[in-house]
Amino acid sequence: KARTVLLATEKAFAADAVAKIQAAFDESKYTMKKLENYKSKDELLAAVADVDAMIIRSDIVDAAVLEKAAKLKIVVRAGAGYDNIDLKACEAKSITAMNTPGQNANAVAELVFGMMLTSARNNYDGTSGFELVGRSIAFYGYGAVARAVGKLAAGFGMVLYAYDPYIPKDAIKKMGAEPVDTVADLFKHQYVSLHVPLTPETKESINKELLLKMPKGGTLINTARMEVVHEGQMLEVLKERPDFCYLCDVGFKAQEEAKAIVGDKYMKRVIFTKKKMGAQTIEANNNAGIAAANQIVGFFEKGETKFSLKA
Ligand code: 3PG
């Protein structure tokens, strides 16, 4: 049966990746509609009306979108985090939702190191910085992205720690990090890198109490989700601790306030990327986009439901 798939990406994939996604659908004789770099939700609401499937990134798929999507059977988030999909609303309409875990992990890991080096070398301003070798990095969450960062960290000669309530401690150990008992224990280390999903439990969980436990030069790296960090308390920590750094790829509402606090130490004490850049590489776009296309074809042609998400 001929199917129509909508590629809805507010932040577009690289053109080469889009061509590869198109080729995957051409092979199965599926029609691909593109809605890239769209500016309003109305455009998305109009585009979903006649499609059987959707590929999205951080695009919001809520009850209003699903309401308009009369034929929709499956939505695949080309990426890891799926806090942008209303899974309960999907379930209520018997729409399958999937993600593509691991596909963009290396891209995020490389960005983490880019930010760490920029900060450690004082944004290359000619003053003396420091080396990463021998320093400790602690991961909150030890899924695909954290492990990819861990692999690079090991290469840099760093010492790795991790807390993940969903992975047994001996498994964490086997994957190269020393397991710690609590979230608070992570904050004994110079670098803490966040790799947890946004859930009611993690929302604003990274607060002043935890951040003030960090040793001198304490640096929080956030390539997870903006809302995991308590913004107001982050600003207080930046004010109270002139040594503390926040390297952030996932947005910060009070960016200007944070920049004003750190002054000419912007890009040293605080880094904010434009948009969310972690997964924005040709490789990650290819990996996640093609995986999403294959999952859609597999779902319709073979009834495959691996990577289905539960509400
Ligand atoms: C993810 O969860 O996969 C990342 O946050 C990437 O999001 P993006 O596709 O919007 O860049």
Side-chain angles (χ1 to χ4, degrees):
K1 193 175 161 201
R3 308 276 183 179
T4 302
V5 183
L6 175 68
L7 176 68
T9 50
E10 204 174 350
K11 181 174 66 191
F13 282 135
D16 281 5
V18 176
K20 291 200 173 83
I21 296 166
Q22 176 80 63
F25 286 128
D26 286 350
E27 201 174 309
S28 304
K29 307 233 167 357
Y30 285 25
T31 305
M32 182 169 86
K33 268 178 50 173
K34 289 186 284 188
L35 179 68
E36 298 177 283
N37 300 310
Y38 62 94
K39 299 283 177 257
S40 76
K41 188 160 178 170
D42 286 343
E43 292 174 73
L44 179 61
L45 293 175
V48 294
D50 60 344
V51 302
D52 305 289
M54 260 174 106
I55 295 177
I56 56 162
R57 297 185 67 176
S58 292
D59 308 75
I60 307 290
V61 172
D62 55 13
V65 173
L66 297 174
E67 193 55 46
K68 295 281 180 202
K71 291 168 65 189
L72 191 69
K73 296 281 179 297
I74 177 171
V75 51
V76 180
R77 194 279 191 245
Y82 48 86
D83 48 292
N84 49 319
I85 305 177
D86 185 338
L87 291 180
K88 282 207 177 88
C90 284
E91 205 178 79
K93 298 197 75 190
S94 301
I95 293 167
T96 297
M98 296 183 184
N99 65 347
T100 67
Q103 300 291 351
N104 56 28
N106 187 66
V108 183
E110 291 191 14
L111 184 91
V112 166
F113 269 81
M115 295 196 296
M116 285 167 75
L117 291 170
T118 299
S119 171
R121 296 304 183 97
N122 304 329
N123 196 24
Y124 319 106
D125 69 356
T127 63
S128 205
F130 63 84
E131 299 176 25
L132 300 179
V133 65
R135 292 174 191 267
S136 60
I137 183 164
F139 299 102
Y140 182 15
Y142 208 53
V145 182
R147 296 199 298 270
V149 180
K151 209 169 134 187
L152 300 184
F156 272 83
M158 298 183 82
V159 189
L160 283 58
Y161 299 87
Y163 174 79
D164 192 320
Y166 302 99
I167 304 179
K169 283 187 172 174
D170 52 337
I172 290 179
K173 232 185 166 99
K174 274 201 191 108
M175 295 187 291
E178 187 59 35
V180 303
D181 291 326
T182 64
V183 174
D185 285 339
L186 297 169
F187 289 80
K188 294 174 181 161
H189 301 286
Q190 182 176 356
Y191 288 97
V192 172
S193 197
L194 304 179
H195 300 287
V196 287
L198 174 63
T199 64
E201 291 76 44
T202 63
K203 191 171 182 197
E204 299 194 329
S205 66
I206 306 304
N207 55 27
K208 188 172 177 177
E209 191 189 338
L210 289 172
L211 295 171
L212 288 182
K213 289 183 198 297
M214 294 186 91
K216 192 156 190 298
T219 299
L220 182 75
I221 304 161
N222 188 1
T223 56
R225 286 293 178 270
M226 173 170 71
E227 299 87 345
V228 172
V229 171
H230 192 297
E231 276 213 10
Q233 295 185 14
M234 168 59 74
L235 290 172
E236 288 175 29
V237 175
L238 286 169
K239 266 188 215 143
E240 288 173 32
R241 284 269 308 259
D243 62 307
F244 175 81
C245 303
Y246 182 44
L247 316 181
C248 173
D249 179 47
V250 287
F252 194 75
K253 289 196 187 108
Q255 251 190 59
E256 293 316 313
E257 216 174 319
K259 283 185 186 173
I261 292 168
V262 302
D264 63 2
K265 294 263 190 318
Y266 179 59
M267 296 303 283
K268 155 75 188 168
R269 290 197 55 210
V270 159
I271 294 179
F272 297 121
T273 54
K274 195 172 178 180
K275 297 201 174 179
K276 184 167 63 161
M277 296 296 297
Q280 207 52 325
T281 65
I282 177 68
E283 292 85 352
N285 291 174
N286 279 336
N287 293 343
I290 295 167
N294 289 338
Q295 286 171 218
I296 287 171
V297 174
F299 172 81
F300 284 125
E301 306 304 324
K302 297 182 199 150
E304 287 171 2
T305 54
K306 198 179 168 189
F307 304 118
S308 286
L309 302 167
K310 302 265 166 306

Coordinates of all heavy atoms in Angstrom, one line a residue, residues 11 13 57-59 77-82 104 108 223-225 250 276 278-280, ligand 1:
K11 N 14.0 22.5 12.9 CA 15.5 22.6 12.7 C 15.8 21.6 11.7 O 15.8 20.4 12.0 CB 16.2 22.4 14.0 CG 17.7 22.6 14.0 CD 18.3 22.5 15.4 CE 18.2 21.1 15.9 NZ 18.5 21.0 17.3
F13 N 17.4 19.0 8.9 CA 18.6 18.1 8.8 C 19.4 18.7 7.6 O 18.9 19.4 6.8 CB 18.1 16.7 8.3 CG 17.5 15.8 9.4 CD1 16.4 15.1 9.2 CD2 18.2 15.7 10.6 CE1 15.9 14.3 10.2 CE2 17.7 14.9 11.6 CZ 16.5 14.2 11.4
R57 N 11.9 15.9 14.9 CA 13.1 16.0 15.8 C 12.6 16.5 17.1 O 11.9 15.8 17.8 CB 14.1 17.0 15.2 CG 14.7 16.5 13.9 CD 15.8 17.3 13.3 NE 17.0 17.3 14.2 CZ 18.1 17.9 13.9 NH1 18.2 18.6 12.7 NH2 19.2 17.9 14.6
S58 N 12.9 17.7 17.5 CA 12.3 18.2 18.8 C 10.9 18.8 18.6 O 10.4 19.5 19.5 CB 13.3 19.3 19.4 OG 14.4 18.6 19.8
D59 N 10.4 18.7 17.4 CA 9.1 19.2 17.1 C 8.0 18.7 18.0 O 8.0 17.5 18.4 CB 8.7 18.9 15.6 CG 9.9 19.2 14.7 OD1 10.9 18.5 14.7 OD2 9.8 20.2 14.0
R77 N 10.5 9.9 16.4 CA 11.4 11.0 16.8 C 12.8 10.6 16.3 O 13.4 9.6 16.9 CB 11.3 11.1 18.3 CG 11.9 12.4 18.9 CD 13.4 12.4 19.0 NE 13.8 13.5 19.8 CZ 14.6 14.5 19.3 NH1 15.0 14.4 18.0 NH2 14.9 15.5 20.1
A78 N 13.3 11.3 15.3 CA 14.7 11.0 14.9 C 15.7 11.6 15.9 O 16.1 12.8 15.8 CB 14.9 11.6 13.5
G79 N 15.9 10.8 16.9 CA 16.7 11.3 18.0 C 16.4 10.5 19.3 O 15.7 9.5 19.2
A80 N 16.9 10.9 20.4 CA 16.8 10.1 21.6 C 15.6 10.6 22.5 O 14.7 9.8 22.9 CB 18.1 10.2 22.4
G81 N 15.6 11.9 22.9 CA 14.7 12.4 23.9 C 13.3 12.6 23.3 O 13.2 13.1 22.2
Y82 N 12.3 12.1 24.0 CA 10.9 12.2 23.4 C 9.9 12.9 24.3 O 8.7 12.7 24.3 CB 10.4 10.8 23.1 CG 10.6 9.8 24.2 CD1 9.6 9.6 25.2 CD2 11.7 8.9 24.2 CE1 9.8 8.7 26.2 CE2 11.9 8.0 25.2 CZ 10.9 7.9 26.2 OH 11.1 7.0 27.2
N104 N 22.4 9.6 17.5 CA 23.2 10.9 17.5 C 24.1 11.0 18.6 O 24.6 12.1 18.9 CB 22.2 12.1 17.4 CG 21.2 12.1 18.5 OD1 21.4 11.6 19.6 ND2 20.0 12.7 18.2
V108 N 26.8 14.4 20.0 CA 26.7 15.1 21.2 C 28.0 15.0 22.0 O 28.4 16.0 22.6 CB 25.5 14.5 22.1 CG1 25.3 15.4 23.3 CG2 24.2 14.6 21.2
T223 N 23.8 18.8 28.0 CA 23.4 18.5 26.7 C 22.1 17.7 26.7 O 21.8 17.0 25.8 CB 24.5 17.8 25.9 OG1 24.9 16.6 26.6 CG2 25.7 18.6 25.7
A224 N 21.5 17.7 27.9 CA 20.3 16.9 28.1 C 19.0 17.7 27.7 O 18.6 17.8 26.6 CB 20.2 16.4 29.5
R225 N 18.5 18.4 28.7 CA 17.3 19.3 28.5 C 17.4 20.5 29.4 O 17.8 20.4 30.6 CB 16.0 18.6 28.8 CG 15.6 17.5 27.7 CD 15.2 18.2 26.4 NE 14.9 17.2 25.4 CZ 15.8 16.6 24.5 NH1 17.1 16.9 24.6 NH2 15.3 15.7 23.6
V250 N 21.5 23.4 25.5 CA 20.0 23.1 25.4 C 19.1 24.3 25.7 O 17.9 24.1 26.0 CB 19.6 21.8 26.2 CG1 20.2 20.6 25.6 CG2 20.2 22.0 27.7
K276 N 20.0 24.2 19.4 CA 20.6 23.0 20.2 C 21.4 22.3 19.1 O 20.9 21.8 18.2 CB 19.4 22.1 20.7 CG 19.9 21.0 21.5 CD 18.7 20.3 22.2 CE 17.7 19.8 21.3 NZ 16.8 18.8 21.8
G278 N 23.9 19.8 19.6 CA 24.5 18.5 19.9 C 24.4 17.5 18.8 O 25.3 16.9 18.4
A279 N 23.1 17.4 18.2 CA 22.9 16.4 17.2 C 23.0 17.0 15.8 O 22.6 16.3 14.8 CB 21.4 15.8 17.4
Q280 N 23.5 18.2 15.7 CA 23.5 18.8 14.4 C 24.8 18.6 13.6 O 25.6 19.5 13.4 CB 23.2 20.3 14.6 CG 22.5 21.1 13.5 CD 21.3 20.5 12.9 OE1 21.1 19.3 12.8 NE2 20.4 21.4 12.4
Ligands
3PG1 C1 17.8 14.2 21.2 O1 17.1 14.0 22.1 O2 18.0 13.3 20.3 C2 18.6 15.5 21.0 O3 18.2 16.4 22.0 C3 18.6 16.1 19.6 O4 17.5 16.9 19.4 P1 17.3 17.6 17.9 O5 17.0 16.6 16.9 O6 16.2 18.6 18.1 O7 18.6 18.3 17.6

